[in-house]
């Protein structure tokens, strides 16, 4: 096939799947392109706001606004403290969302616009006329706003992929493509700053005027591009249509606490907090070391930013070939090695660029790996808990914030101990070999400080900040060496938890198939069954039964090793055969996973669970009001001499504590008795809200028409109708919130009863599988007959 023919075939494929996903996939090409190209705008905002978020190595706040590392650490602690309730609020909003637009899509607009406005306001504050107290106060207040609006906006975009497709491979492929496309935003912005600085601020990146001119247009354009994601994507969650979502914070925290993979990934970040300490090297060598001109630094930042492109392109192929765990471990080992190579090269910015480039290339695998692993972890959470708990991962991550509040104090201490202090900065103007050192801008260090002072209308000594101590070559050299070794230690610590990660892609695919089954049977039990779901589930079960029990084969792979000296055609055929064999082996493993789910009630292992569930449901939720402490004591006394006994004991303790919590909630909030909650009440409320929304759209259209035609009286009447309808919607939304709160409290109080009821209904539905399959076969046969006619 010629290159022209290949291009034609690719174009034809793109046309056929522009609005219809390929077989076995969930996202059409239009969605993938919208998510990726809209990401350019999202990441434009992330790039500029990321430079305003408080951290102990922030250059805009520290070097430009002039807040020293110790004060910045205190501000960071205050911002983190403020983020705790805000993160919990965000998590609750996401997990309890029943919006027709989805869990994440609506917040791309609702949170994106305030984020862009806050970014513009941040750079236009008159810091040069503020005292240190008001500088700190202003930065803190903006960061509290960023903690809610910006973090909500960023998380909505990043987490959207988790619900755009339940297929791990598809998510990985889309993440790879998306990462390559959205990186255009940062790739343009990063070299743009030194280029603009050469015209606007004599090459200085520490002048606030630069950010006032460059950042506002980026924020506006970024927000407009972000709308592309909202308008052209659709969320898909493997959850029964009849499933009512309402999760309390503490309940979700308990469920997430059982997810071992969450703790593995979180622990890696917590103990590897110093990884990345070396990332300021290029900036320091340019700004303080005078290693190159502003134009050359623009080239350096462009080259450095390009490194991530190749890693993001290679990541999906590497993950598919070697698996996530192997790629994780290998890239982390390479990170450690490349960071250490920076030490002998730290005196030359071009050698530093080479090793930083390679480090960024290897590190960029995590841009695809990270979200892909997070998506798998959420699927696993859905599998073990029965709920799609997405937002609460951020809430549980607050533990990491508390740890970070301690560990983030390490880097400022390193900075201060290494010489970044106002006393050291004031010294540079009194030491001739430092003050008279010529920089690539053509000015000496003393002249650079004097120019900054003149722009602010203050003396040179007043214009100094703690980071100006880095103009001293000795301080710069010693501190870069310390940061390199600190970063290598952080990378090593980051690697250790990944050694315990064992959630394979094949197992994840098995989990997705089981989630499909559970959602199908829940809808079946509730009488909400579509023909499409019935046929898809029947096919899933048929395929699983065909593959279950087969032994995995490695014959083709063994034969391939003997074909190293064969001709090209034979080798290509062998590669295709190996791929088919691996795919078949994966299908066998997935099939075993599915069959275990279907047969879990047959071997008698769950007989005790079923008997316990039957006893719990007979008395209704009211029977949970009294708790016998002996239940918990017996659970704690169970043997734990082997892994199976330990697992059984943990589960028994969990059930006992759940009964204890339910009794407490019933006695506190349901003193007059508890009635079963009817989730169908949501349908009536949401139908009324949807109708009010349609009426509101129609009224606004009429108002626009009346304005164009000059009908003032009609326009005034329409405004009154709109105001009345808005008030009606406000009352309706309040009623929805009150209903949702009542539902959440009912679920918390009656959780053991509800779980028992779910298990019994699942047992009944699984027992009716033969009739379900017969119905699917008849439906398929009738469809084939109609097609033939």
């Amino acid at each position: 096939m010629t290159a022209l023919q290949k291009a034609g075939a690719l174009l034809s494929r793109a046309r056929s799947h522009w609005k219809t996903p390929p077989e076995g996939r969930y996202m059409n090409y239009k969605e993938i392109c919208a998510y990726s190209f809209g990401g350019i705008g999202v990441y434009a905002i992330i790039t500029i706001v990321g430079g305003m978020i408080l951290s102990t190595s922030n250059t805009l706040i520290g070097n430009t606004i002039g807040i020293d590392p110790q004060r910045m650490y205190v501000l960071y602690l205050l911002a983190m403290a403020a983020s705790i309730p805000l993160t919990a609020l965000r998590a609750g909003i996401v997990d309890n969302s029943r919006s027709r637009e989805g869990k994440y899509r609506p917040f791309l607009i609702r949170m994106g616009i305030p984020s862009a406005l806050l970014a513009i306001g941040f750079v236009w504050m008159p810091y040069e006329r503020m005292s240190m107290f008001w500088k700190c106060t202003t930065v803190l207040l903006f960061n509290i706003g960023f903690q809610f609006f910006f973090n909500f906006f960023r998380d909505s975009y990043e987490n959207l992929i988790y619900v755009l497709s339940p297929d791990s491979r598809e998510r990985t492929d889309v993440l790879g493509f998306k990462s390559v496309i959205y990186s255009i935003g940062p790739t343009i912005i990063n070299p743009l700053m030194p280029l603009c600085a050469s015209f606007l601020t004599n090459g200085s990146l520490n002048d606030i005027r630069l950010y006032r001119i460059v950042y506002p247009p980026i924020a506006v354009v970024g927000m407009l591009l972000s709308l592309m994601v909202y308008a052209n994507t659709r969320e898909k969650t493997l959850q029964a249509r009849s499933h009512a979502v309402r999760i309390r914070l503490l309940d979700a925290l308990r469920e997430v606490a059982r997810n071992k993979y969450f703790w593995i990934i979180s622990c890696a970040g917590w103990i590897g907090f110093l990884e990345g300490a070396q990332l300021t090297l290029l900036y320091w060598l340019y700004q303080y070391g005078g290693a190159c001109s502003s134009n050359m630094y623009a080239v350096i930042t462009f080259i450095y930013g390009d490194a991530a492109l190749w890693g993001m392109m290679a990541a999906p192929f590497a993950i598919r070939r070697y698996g996530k765990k192997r790629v994780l471990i290998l890239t982390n080992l390479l990170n450690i090695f490349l960071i250490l190579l920076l030490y002998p090269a730290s005196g030359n910015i071009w050698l530093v660029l080479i090793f930083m480039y390679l480090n960024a290339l290897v590190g960029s695998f995590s841009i695809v790996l990270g979200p892909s692993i997070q998506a798998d972890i959420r699927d696993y959470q859905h599998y073990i808990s029965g709920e799609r708990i997405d937002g609460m991962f951020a809430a549980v991550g607050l533990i990491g914030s508390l740890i970070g509040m301690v560990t983030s104090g390490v880097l400022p201490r390193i900075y201060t101990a290494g010489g970044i202090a106002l006393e050291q900065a004031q010294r540079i103007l009194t030491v001739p070999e430092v003050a008279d050192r010529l920089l690539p801008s053509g000015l000496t260090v003393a002249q650079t400080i004097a120019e900054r002072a003149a722009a602010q209308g203050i003396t040179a000594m007043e214009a100094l900040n703690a980071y100006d101590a880095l103009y001293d070559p000795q301080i710069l050299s010693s501190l870069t060496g310390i940061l390199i070794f600190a970063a290598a230690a952080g990378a090593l610590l980051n690697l250790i938890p990944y050694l315990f990660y064992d959630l394979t892609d094949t197992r994840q695919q098995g989990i997705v198939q089981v989630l499909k089954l559970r959602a199908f049977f829940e809808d079946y039990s509730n009488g909400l069954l579509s023909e499409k779901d019935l046929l898809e589930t029947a096919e899933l079960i048929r395929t699983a039964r065909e593959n279950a029990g087969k032994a995995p084969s490695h014959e083709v792979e063994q034969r391939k090793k003997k074909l190293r000296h064969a001709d090209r055609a034979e080798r290509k055929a062998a590669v295709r055969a190996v791929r088919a064999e691996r795919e078949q082996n994966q299908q066998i493993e997935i099939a075993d996973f599915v069959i275990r789910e279907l047969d879990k009630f047959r071997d008698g292992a769950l007989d005790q669970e079923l008997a316990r569930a039957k006893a719990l449901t007979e008395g209704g939720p009211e029977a949970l009001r009294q708790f016998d402490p002996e239940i918990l004591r017996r659970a704690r006394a169970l043997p734990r001499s082997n892994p199976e006994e330990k697992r059984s004991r943990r589960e028994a303790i969990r059930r006992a504590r759940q009964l204890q919590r339910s009794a407490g909630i019933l006695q506190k909030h349901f003193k007059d008795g508890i009635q079963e909650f009817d989730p169908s009440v949501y349908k009536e409320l949401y139908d009324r809200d949807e109708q009010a929304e349609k009426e509101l759209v129609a009224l606004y259209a009429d108002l626009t028409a009346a304005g164009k035609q000059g009908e003032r009286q009609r326009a005034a009447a329409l405004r009154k109708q709109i105001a009345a309808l808005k008030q009606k919607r406000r009352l309706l939304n309040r009623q929805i919130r009150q209903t949702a709160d009542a539902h959440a409290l009912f679920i918390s109080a009656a959780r053991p009863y509800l779980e028992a009821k779910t298990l019994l209904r699942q047992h009944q539905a699984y027992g009716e599988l033969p009739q379900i399959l017969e119905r699917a076969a008849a439906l398929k046969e009738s469809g084939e007959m109609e097609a033939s006619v």
Side-chain angles (χ1 to χ4, degrees):
M1 184 180 287
T2 66
L4 189 61
Q5 289 173 325
K6 288 181 179 179
L10 184 64
L11 183 61
S12 175
R13 180 179 172 83
R15 284 174 178 169
S16 60
H17 296 302
W18 183 248
K19 293 186 178 180
T20 305
E23 186 177 352
R25 295 280 177 137
Y26 295 84
M27 296 180 68
N28 58 48
Y29 289 176
K30 181 182 180 181
E31 266 191 306
I32 294 171
C33 289
Y35 183 57
S36 304
F37 285 95
I40 296 173
V42 174
Y43 263 80
I45 295 175
I46 289 175
T47 300
I48 63 173
V49 176
M52 304 171 195
I53 297 292
L54 276 163
S55 71
T56 50
S57 57
N58 185 294
T59 55
L60 175 58
I61 297 172
N63 304 54
T64 304
I65 296 175
I67 300 176
D68 62 79
Q70 293 302 323
R71 282 192 178 94
M72 192 146 50
Y73 177 55
V74 173
L75 294 178
Y76 168 79
L77 293 179
L78 294 172
M80 285 297 99
S83 75
I84 293 173
L86 294 176
T87 302
L89 176 62
R90 294 198 331 258
I93 291 171
V94 169
D95 280 336
N96 296 302
S97 173
R98 293 287 289 183
S99 170
R100 293 176 296 277
E101 298 167 323
K103 272 179 177 279
Y104 298 112
R105 287 176 57 248
F107 302 110
L108 291 171
I109 296 176
R110 296 175 193 172
M111 302 298 158
I113 293 173
S115 297
L117 293 175
L118 282 171
I120 295 170
F122 184 92
V123 295
W124 273 99
M125 296 304 291
Y127 299 106
E128 57 269 38
R129 297 196 297 273
M130 291 182 181
S131 65
M132 182 57 68
F133 171 80
W134 284 111
K135 283 182 181 180
C136 293
T137 302
T138 302
V139 168
L140 176 61
L141 290 176
F142 270 97
N143 266 265
I144 291 173
F146 287 138
Q147 289 290 343
F148 184 75
F149 294 106
F150 170 68
N151 285 345
F152 211 147
F153 171 70
R154 180 184 59 194
D155 290 349
S156 296
Y157 177 75
E158 296 292 2
N159 295 345
L160 184 59
I161 186 62
Y162 305 154
V163 291
L164 288 179
S165 170
D167 185 86
S168 182
R169 286 187 178 181
E170 182 176 20
R171 285 192 300 237
T172 301
D173 293 340
V174 173
L175 283 167
F177 180 72
K178 181 256 306 190
S179 301
V180 170
I181 300 301
Y182 81 59
S183 64
I184 293 172
T187 301
I188 293 172
I189 293 170
N190 290 332
L192 181 67
M193 296 304 291
L195 278 175
C196 291
S198 65
F199 296 107
L200 300 172
T201 59
N202 204 19
S204 175
L205 293 176
N206 289 345
D207 194 321
I208 192 66
R209 293 174 298 173
L210 173 66
Y211 301 92
R212 288 171 179 164
I213 294 170
V214 177
Y215 275 8
I218 292 174
V220 173
V221 173
M223 190 59 239
L224 292 175
L225 285 173
S226 302
L227 298 177
M228 189 188 302
V229 183
Y230 169 80
N232 297 287
T233 55
R234 184 175 64 86
E235 297 185 17
K236 314 161 195 78
T237 305
L238 293 178
Q239 191 154 272
R241 290 187 295 274
S242 55
H243 190 84
V245 179
R246 188 62 182 170
I247 306 163
R248 297 182 84 201
L249 175 60
L250 291 177
D251 294 333
L253 291 176
R254 292 188 190 102
E255 293 297 338
V256 174
R258 297 163 54 202
N259 190 329
K260 67 175 183 178
Y261 299 113
F262 169 80
W263 295 111
I264 289 172
I265 300 302
S266 297
C267 187
W270 296 340
I271 66 175
F273 61 93
L274 284 174
E275 185 179 18
Q278 85 288 1
L279 293 177
T280 56
L281 255 61
L282 287 172
Y283 173 75
W284 282 7
L285 289 173
Y286 158 70
Q287 184 67 39
Y288 301 106
C292 63
S293 66
S294 59
N295 289 334
M296 290 310 298
Y297 185 64
V299 173
I300 286 171
T301 54
F302 179 80
I303 294 172
Y304 179 58
D306 180 64
L309 171 67
W310 308 106
M312 292 184 294
M313 288 176 66
F317 302 101
I319 291 168
R320 189 179 292 110
R321 178 66 181 86
Y322 301 107
K324 295 184 181 74
K325 181 176 179 177
R326 289 181 182 176
V327 176
L328 266 173
I329 292 173
L330 178 60
T331 53
N332 273 273
L333 286 171
L334 287 172
N335 264 338
I336 298 167
F337 176 67
L338 291 166
I339 289 171
L340 288 172
L341 285 178
L342 288 170
Y343 184 72
S346 59
N348 186 304
I349 194 170
W350 295 103
L351 288 176
V352 169
L353 172 63
I354 291 171
F355 294 125
M356 290 280 282
Y357 181 93
L358 294 173
N359 178 251
L361 190 153
V362 172
S364 64
F365 275 69
S366 67
I367 297 173
V368 177
L369 265 171
S372 183
I373 287 173
Q374 287 291 338
D376 292 351
I377 291 173
R378 281 158 170 76
D379 288 337
Y380 177 74
Q381 181 66 52
H382 192 180
Y383 172 70
I384 63 172
S385 70
E387 294 289 356
R388 186 78 197 186
I389 304 172
D390 289 321
M392 285 305 157
F393 279 89
V396 180
L398 288 173
I399 299 170
S401 298
L402 297 174
I403 295 172
M405 290 169 74
V406 177
T407 57
S408 292
V410 174
L411 202 56
R413 289 183 180 276
I414 292 174
Y415 282 2
T416 303
I420 297 181
L422 190 57
E423 297 78 13
Q424 292 287 351
Q426 290 170 343
R427 177 178 164 274
I428 66 171
L429 293 180
T430 63
V431 179
E433 56 265 31
V434 178
D436 297 335
R437 186 163 66 87
L438 191 65
L439 300 176
S441 62
L443 302 176
T444 64
V445 171
Q447 289 170 335
T448 301
I449 302 298
E451 187 180 78
R452 186 199 306 167
Q456 298 179 16
I458 54 179
T459 66
M461 279 295 181
E462 291 173 328
L464 286 168
N465 64 58
Y467 287 88
D468 289 327
L470 292 170
Y471 281 116
D472 186 332
Q474 290 184 344
I475 293 176
L476 178 62
S477 177
S478 65
L479 195 51
T480 53
I482 294 169
L483 291 180
I484 288 167
F485 286 111
L492 177 61
L493 290 171
N494 179 260
L495 167 65
I496 295 170
Y498 291 134
L499 300 174
F500 301 95
Y501 184 85
D502 61 357
L503 181 57
T504 64
D505 288 347
T506 304
R507 191 182 179 203
Q508 188 275 338
Q509 290 178 53
I511 285 172
V512 168
Q513 298 300 320
V514 169
L515 291 176
K516 284 182 180 179
L517 283 175
R518 290 178 181 176
F520 168 81
F521 282 113
E522 185 175 346
D523 278 337
Y524 170 77
S525 298
N526 292 316
L528 296 173
L529 196 61
S530 70
E531 292 182 356
K532 179 175 177 290
D533 290 339
L534 180 61
L535 292 172
E536 286 181 355
T537 304
E539 180 62 22
L540 187 158
I541 294 171
R542 184 194 65 77
T543 304
R545 285 180 170 173
E546 282 182 0
N547 291 312
K550 292 181 180 178
S553 171
H554 301 285
E555 293 180 8
V556 178
E557 194 157 4
Q558 292 296 326
R559 288 202 304 270
K560 176 177 174 282
K561 294 178 181 179
K562 301 176 183 178
L563 293 174
R564 291 175 181 171
H565 303 293
D567 60 35
R568 184 179 178 185
E570 285 182 308
R571 288 200 304 273
K572 289 180 74 173
V575 168
R576 286 194 294 270
V578 167
R579 287 176 182 166
E581 184 181 67
R582 287 175 181 162
E583 182 66 30
Q584 178 61 26
N585 290 342
Q586 287 179 339
Q587 291 302 318
I588 290 170
E589 189 176 339
I590 292 169
D592 291 339
F593 208 89
V594 171
I595 296 301
R596 279 199 302 273
E597 172 70 16
L598 290 172
D599 293 345
K600 66 182 180 181
F601 295 109
R602 292 187 179 182
D603 59 4
L606 293 177
D607 286 352
Q608 288 186 351
E609 290 284 329
L610 289 168
R612 190 182 297 110
K614 189 174 181 182
L616 272 172
T617 54
E618 283 176 351
E622 184 63 33
L624 301 172
R625 185 175 296 276
Q626 300 302 323
F627 173 72
D628 183 2
E630 186 61 28
I631 297 173
L632 184 56
R633 281 195 290 270
R634 286 198 300 266
R636 286 173 172 162
L638 289 172
R640 44 180 171 175
S641 58
N642 58 56
E644 184 59 31
E645 286 183 349
K646 288 178 180 178
R647 188 199 66 78
S648 298
R649 180 178 177 273
R650 282 196 304 270
E651 186 60 24
I653 292 172
R654 185 188 72 84
R655 285 197 302 266
R657 285 177 174 164
Q658 199 174 69
L659 287 169
Q660 188 179 38
R661 283 193 297 270
S662 292
I665 296 171
L666 282 166
Q667 292 168 16
K668 182 178 179 180
H669 296 285
F670 296 90
K671 295 178 181 178
D672 298 328
I674 183 171
Q675 299 295 324
E676 284 219 39
F677 185 89
D678 182 10
S680 64
V681 69
Y682 281 121
K683 185 177 187 304
E684 180 195 350
L685 291 171
Y686 285 123
D687 286 347
R688 285 166 57 191
D689 183 54
E690 186 174 359
Q691 181 60 34
E693 185 178 357
K694 289 179 181 177
E695 291 177 13
L696 200 59
V697 170
L699 286 172
Y700 271 117
D702 290 344
L703 180 62
T704 302
K708 289 180 179 179
Q709 295 169 8
E711 300 175 356
R712 294 184 179 181
Q713 290 185 345
R714 182 169 169 244
L718 286 169
R719 288 191 186 95
K720 287 182 180 179
Q721 291 181 50
I722 289 171
L725 191 55
K726 283 184 176 180
Q727 178 62 21
K728 178 182 175 182
R729 285 196 76 190
R730 278 193 290 270
L731 295 173
L732 185 59
N733 286 326
R734 184 185 302 169
Q735 188 179 353
I736 290 172
R737 286 194 299 271
Q738 290 170 349
T739 303
D741 289 339
H743 188 195
L745 192 60
F746 169 79
I747 289 173
S748 293
R751 185 171 292 278
Y753 165 80
L754 294 173
E755 288 184 356
K757 191 175 176 182
T758 299
L759 184 67
L760 291 174
R761 294 177 74 176
Q762 197 177 76
H763 175 246
Q764 181 182 357
Y766 280 29
E768 296 174 6
L769 183 59
Q771 297 94 301
I772 293 171
L773 293 178
E774 285 178 10
R775 182 177 168 186
L779 184 63
K780 183 178 180 181
E781 185 177 348
S782 64
E784 289 174 350
M785 290 177 63
E786 288 177 8
S788 63
V789 173

